[in-house]
Amino acid sequence: MNVQDRRRLLGPGAAKPMAFSNTTTHVPEKKSTDLTPKGNESEQELSLHTGFIENCNGSALVEARSLGHQTSLISAVYGPRSIRGSFTSQGTISIQLKNGLLEKYNTNELKEVSSFLMGIFNSVVNLSRYPKSGIDIFVYLTYDKDLTNNPQDDDSQSKMTSSQISSLIPHCITSITLALADAGIELVDMAGAGEANGTVVSFIKNGEEIVGFWKDDGDDEDLLECLDRCKEQYNRYRDLMISCLMNQET
Amino acid sequence: MAESTTLETIEIHPITFPPEVLARISPELSLQRHLSLGIRPCLRKYEEFRDVAIENNTLSRYADAGNIDTKNNILGSNVLKSGKTIVITSITGGIIEETSASIKDLDDFGEEELFEVTKEEDIIANYASVYPVVEVERGRVGACTDEEMTISQKLHDSILHSRILPKKALKVKAGVRSANEDGTFSVLYPDELEDDTLNETNLKMKRKWSYVLYAKIVVLSRTGPVFDLCWNSLMYALQSVKLPRAFIDERASDLRMTIRTRGRSATIRETYEIICDQTKSVPLMINAKNIAFASNYGIVELDPECQLQNSDNSEEEEVDIDMDKLNTVLIADLDTEAEETSIHSTISILAAPSGNYKQLTLMGGGAKITPEMIKRSLLLSRVRADDLSTRFNI
């Protein structure tokens, strides 16, 4: 960005962001014990909350914590609210993903994910019920970090982030679905998703219908096996979502 | 006849609204109705503050002392929850090279006058501030709102003038990284060495750096004015900040080359980056006695016409009401839409726990601010600051 933003206090232009050294002699000593088994989805703890943001129509917080990774994201649904301009027979959905505290993902990645999510929720929300209205969904990736602390060289680090954003997508879908339900917006069915090896498959209707498919990196693993693993996760997430919503009612 | 029958059928029902609908349609009336019962729309008493729950430093790279999160560049953080509103503050840093063109070095005579002017502001010149960016989430995209801009600016100015952050605390005491014989690197910090072999004069560097602190403040679930919450959250976050140690490579610590081309000579200095230490850090030395906490108050006149009366003795009370004598009340910690939109006389105070007031803002709009009100709010803000200051513990 070359244009100076005069509306925000961004500090002196000559200041440089802190660059942390990659190689210091002190760090590598105490990391050998942190060899957690990779991809341990079964040990993932998930906690879901809804309706804690006051100035929106529906909101949800999803916190996932596994041995190696901790994620927390907040979704807020604003709408259905009327849109300007001419009549439309269907509602429109917009989804914005926002980097949280750790500015980890670049805007392109986030845009890509949000358009993927938009594709899913265009088919999941019963849009014909909301003519001339817009539903704006904001997903705020508050917190997302590795708990295993091994300093990596840049190459593997970039690889890590790309696989991480795909592991985030199921949580995004879970939180958006919950927030939409919290806002009282009519859905065809609870959408959920699972992730396996950078492949994300989103299901509705008890896993009978696929509403979204995302694939990073062309590992030529067996697609059907991925599908089964995703479906397994989808079932688990869906059960959690339902129990969360049921508990909230009482 | 037909006309009269139609007239007869018209019945006017008084419309009643549920409280939350009334609050949207007529916030003023809703507020007055509540106040007449001795409570506020948020069901607090007049001088009751919201409780504050905080979580310090859980998001920063130094959150876990034994295990530093190397991919995290947050130096200090705070999550503050007050009522329904959540404020997340994270402080990140940058490094700026100080230019030596200080005003005192200038030889130009014309600058003398300017120097005199700035001398008065010299005390303030010894203090720095943070650069806050406030984001209030309200379901819109696009440019920042006026509120976000004014809060950011006010935070910046208030920190500077509260003299919380001395410039001295932001100076980088840079170390030097040198390669050992076996190919490993070691970093020496002049102030850490006990022997005099490599004391500061030995490592004297001509260039100076200082840290720059940025604060990102995200407000979720805004229900009322948020400056206070942002300020308090920023205060907590600042107290948890740790600055990473920084170093430069010994080969680059003072390298100058004079080159000569086509009869002209120029000096080339090697450009090198200052690098932050992965693990070592020092706590930010802020002026702890100047840490202040914010609180706000509103003043509202009770409207006798909006009083809710008991049906039994309504007639008696009717007589008592004196239209000339308006009753004004002081309301602490404004929240909810009703209070925000219909209370225009406000007092905003930054108070340090020792009874050291840092800032007082009075806004007269409608209700009269009496000296008693100001005294009362000063007292309350001090009590509040005392309470809030005890919440900080790492």
Side-chain angles (χ1 to χ4, degrees):
Chain A
M1 239 196 6
N2 296 324
V3 187
Q4 199 201 347
D5 189 351
R6 288 167 194 271
R7 293 171 300 202
R8 296 180 178 88
L9 297 171
L10 297 177
K16 295 197 179 75
M18 282 181 181
F20 288 96
S21 65
N22 277 329
T23 47
T24 47
T25 47
H26 314 286
V27 185
E29 292 154 13
K30 47 160 188 189
K31 55 150 189 178
S32 51
T33 52
D34 280 347
L35 281 171
T36 48
K38 199 182 166 274
N40 213 343
E41 292 103 358
S42 56
E43 309 224 355
Q44 198 177 47
E45 290 172 35
L46 209 66
S47 84
L48 310 173
H49 296 278
T50 53
F52 63 99
I53 296 183
E54 194 72 355
N55 62 351
C56 68
N57 296 72
S59 56
L61 165 73
V62 172
E63 284 178 309
R65 191 192 163 99
S66 64
L67 278 174
H69 202 81
Q70 192 177 2
T71 308
S72 146
L73 46 91
I74 295 171
S75 293
V77 171
Y78 295 82
R81 49 188 178 191
S82 65
I83 52 166
R84 280 187 191 176
S86 57
F87 180 79
T88 53
S89 60
Q90 282 201 331
T92 46
I93 289 184
S94 77
I95 298 180
Q96 307 281 335
L97 254 71
K98 270 190 166 177
N99 252 328
L101 305 171
L102 312 173
E103 313 237 317
K104 212 167 172 182
Y105 306 107
N106 60 41
T107 350
N108 287 341
E109 267 180 312
L110 293 178
K111 274 210 176 119
E112 220 172 304
V113 175
S114 68
S115 72
F116 171 69
L117 293 172
M118 234 132 82
I120 293 176
F121 284 96
N122 271 326
S123 51
V124 170
V125 177
N126 194 357
L127 287 173
S128 54
R129 292 268 296 163
Y130 303 101
K132 202 182 186 297
S133 39
I135 298 168
D136 299 322
I137 303 168
F138 289 77
V139 182
Y140 187 71
L141 311 171
T142 330
Y143 197 67
D144 171 39
K145 74 166 189 178
D146 287 321
L147 297 177
T148 50
N149 195 11
N150 34 356
Q152 287 141 338
D153 50 301
D154 290 340
D155 199 32
S156 69
Q157 199 162 354
S158 64
K159 212 175 169 185
M160 280 293 283
T161 45
S162 71
S163 74
Q164 272 165 16
I165 199 146
S166 65
S167 73
L168 274 182
I169 297 174
H171 300 311
C172 293
I173 294 173
T174 309
S175 75
I176 294 175
T177 309
L178 278 176
L180 284 170
D182 186 43
I185 287 169
E186 199 173 304
L187 303 175
V188 174
D189 189 27
M190 304 278 282
E195 186 258 345
N197 288 345
T199 307
V200 180
V201 189
S202 174
F203 300 94
I204 52 168
K205 300 193 176 157
N206 203 19
E208 296 295 312
E209 279 183 29
I210 292 177
V211 284
F213 183 83
W214 169 286
K215 188 158 166 59
D216 275 341
D217 307 334
D219 294 298
D220 40 359
E221 74 276 349
D222 191 3
L223 203 65
L224 285 173
E225 194 205 311
C226 274
L227 205 67
D228 286 340
R229 281 169 63 188
C230 291
K231 198 181 270 185
E232 203 179 294
Q233 280 179 49
Y234 154 71
N235 284 326
R236 212 164 61 82
Y237 290 156
R238 194 194 49 174
D239 292 348
L240 279 170
M241 278 194 275
I242 290 171
S243 68
C244 167
L245 288 174
M246 295 303 279
N247 286 340
Q248 189 203 3
E249 295 294 317
T250 53
Chain B
M1 282 297 284
E3 276 177 20
S4 67
T5 48
T6 50
L7 281 175
E8 275 167 39
T9 52
I10 292 173
E11 279 179 55
I12 297 170
H13 296 285
I15 311 169
T16 52
F17 297 107
E20 55 280 10
V21 177
L22 184 70
R24 282 315 292 272
I25 302 171
S26 176
E28 171 79 12
L29 182 63
S30 165
L31 176 69
Q32 290 291 349
R33 287 273 160 84
H34 277 95
L35 292 179
S36 71
L37 295 171
I39 51 163
R40 296 154 57 180
C42 49
L43 305 183
R44 280 184 280 149
K45 286 184 181 157
Y46 292 163
E47 291 181 358
E48 190 180 336
F49 286 89
R50 281 172 289 176
D51 191 30
V52 167
I54 56 163
E55 209 178 62
N56 278 318
N57 215 21
T58 45
L59 304 170
S60 85
R61 63 184 279 126
Y62 307 109
D64 181 1
N67 191 4
I68 287 166
D69 182 6
T70 50
K71 274 171 250 143
N72 188 339
N73 57 0
I74 296 173
L75 308 176
S77 75
N78 168 270
V79 182
L80 181 143
K81 190 163 188 277
S82 176
K84 293 244 167 68
T85 310
I86 302 160
V87 182
I88 306 171
T89 303
S90 56
I91 292 183
T92 51
I95 289 180
I96 189 167
E97 187 176 347
E98 279 174 29
T99 47
S100 56
S102 161
I103 194 131
K104 290 164 194 166
D105 301 339
L106 292 169
D107 305 326
D108 189 359
F109 182 75
E111 300 291 327
E112 196 88 336
E113 198 178 346
L114 187 63
F115 175 58
E116 287 299 316
V117 175
T118 50
K119 204 173 176 181
E120 290 160 24
E121 291 172 4
D122 253 7
I123 303 165
I124 277 303
N126 289 329
Y127 293 89
S129 186
V130 295
Y131 297 94
V133 171
V134 178
E135 285 175 19
V136 180
E137 299 294 329
R138 49 201 329 170
R140 303 273 173 202
V141 281
C144 50
T145 58
D146 288 357
E147 185 194 26
E148 289 166 344
M149 285 190 271
T150 34
I151 292 179
S152 301
Q153 187 68 50
K154 199 173 168 193
L155 287 171
H156 177 268
D157 295 350
S158 303
I159 287 183
L160 180 65
H161 289 276
S162 300
R163 302 178 191 179
I164 288 167
L165 203 59
K167 271 198 178 140
K168 221 163 56 187
L170 291 176
K171 284 238 155 51
V172 179
K173 294 194 182 78
V176 171
R177 177 168 71 178
S178 52
N180 298 335
E181 283 167 8
D182 54 350
T184 56
F185 291 100
S186 60
V187 184
L188 299 172
Y189 294 105
D191 51 329
E192 275 181 8
L193 295 172
E194 276 156 25
D195 54 342
D196 287 343
T197 51
L198 267 169
N199 55 17
E200 279 194 58
T201 47
N202 249 347
L203 283 173
K204 193 106 188 167
M205 276 169 280
K206 292 216 173 90
R207 297 168 68 189
K208 287 190 170 66
W209 294 269
S210 31
Y211 297 104
V212 181
L213 295 178
Y214 309 98
K216 183 178 174 187
I217 303 174
V218 179
V219 180
L220 294 166
S221 186
R222 179 193 189 279
T223 53
V226 290
F227 170 75
D228 292 10
L229 305 179
C230 293
W231 171 270
N232 291 343
S233 179
L234 188 55
M235 284 299 108
Y236 288 124
L238 269 180
Q239 292 180 74
S240 72
V241 167
K242 280 186 178 166
L243 298 169
R245 305 251 23 195
F247 59 83
I248 52 169
D249 215 292
E250 71 175 342
R251 284 170 298 176
S253 51
D254 199 7
L255 188 69
R256 257 168 195 251
M257 290 181 286
T258 310
I259 52 162
R260 203 179 284 268
T261 46
R262 290 180 205 159
R264 291 181 186 180
S265 70
T267 318
I268 287 187
R269 276 169 122 187
E270 186 174 324
T271 53
Y272 49 89
E273 302 292 324
I274 184 158
I275 309 166
C276 292
D277 199 307
Q278 196 68 265
T279 47
K280 280 189 182 167
S281 65
V282 283
L284 173 67
M285 300 309 281
I286 44 173
N287 250 346
K289 69 172 171 43
N290 283 341
I291 288 284
F293 292 94
S295 52
N296 68 56
Y297 308 87
I299 289 147
V300 65
E301 283 166 353
L302 294 182
D303 187 350
E305 286 185 359
C306 297
Q307 302 271 332
L308 282 178
Q309 286 139 3
N310 291 331
S311 49
D312 313 333
N313 51 2
S314 56
E315 284 163 33
E316 291 168 36
E317 279 189 25
E318 203 101 35
V319 186
D320 290 344
I321 292 169
D322 183 1
M323 290 301 285
D324 300 330
K325 206 178 142 194
L326 284 168
N327 213 354
T328 54
V329 287
L330 183 76
I331 297 214
D333 199 7
L334 298 182
D335 190 25
T336 70
E337 197 185 351
E339 288 176 8
E340 194 184 5
T341 52
S342 43
I343 299 180
H344 302 293
S345 293
T346 54
I347 303 176
S348 167
I349 298 172
L350 295 183
S354 49
N356 210 344
Y357 295 104
K358 289 291 165 197
Q359 194 183 77
L360 171 70
T361 314
L362 299 176
M363 298 263 228
K368 195 176 163 193
I369 305 177
T370 60
E372 288 73 37
M373 295 277 182
I374 298 171
K375 265 188 214 159
R376 180 77 190 146
S377 57
L378 284 171
L379 180 75
L380 285 173
S381 66
R382 189 181 159 178
V383 175
R384 176 74 166 168
D386 278 333
D387 179 37
L388 288 176
S389 66
T390 58
R391 310 284 179 97
F392 185 76
N393 41 4
I394 301 172

